[in-house]
Amino acid sequence: MKNYFSFSLYFYLDKKEPYDKAGTYAIQGYFSRYIVGIEGDYYNVMGLPIGRLYREHLRDYI
């Protein structure tokens, strides 16, 4: 995550976005401007490992 000034943090906290998240930010939302990169699978970081879900589904029905 990038360094950010405290006024940026307060600006973000004044929004509704951080208060309905388990970790207080959504990587695809307003806070994304502070994210430098993602390590790992994008969808797993987002909360649903769609690739694995699809592979498991195929494995169970083939």
Side-chain angles (χ1 to χ4, degrees):
M1 190 166 55
K2 292 181 186 178
N3 291 330
Y4 47 90
F5 297 105
S6 61
F7 70 85
S8 295
L9 179 60
Y10 291 122
F11 181 76
Y12 176 69
L13 292 175
D14 283 340
K15 298 184 173 307
K16 293 180 181 180
E17 182 178 295
Y19 301 105
D20 67 348
K21 314 287 184 279
T24 70
Y25 71 91
I27 200 166
Q28 75 278 23
Y30 179 84
F31 201 80
S32 65
R33 68 189 68 215
Y34 301 108
I35 305 300
V36 177
I38 297 173
E39 291 184 24
D41 181 76
Y42 174 82
Y43 294 104
N44 197 32
V45 171
M46 296 300 297
L48 181 64
I50 196 75
R52 180 167 182 195
L53 185 66
Y54 180 70
R55 287 190 306 273
E56 294 291 327
H57 175 75
L58 286 179
R59 182 189 63 142
D60 290 344
Y61 292 99
I62 291 181

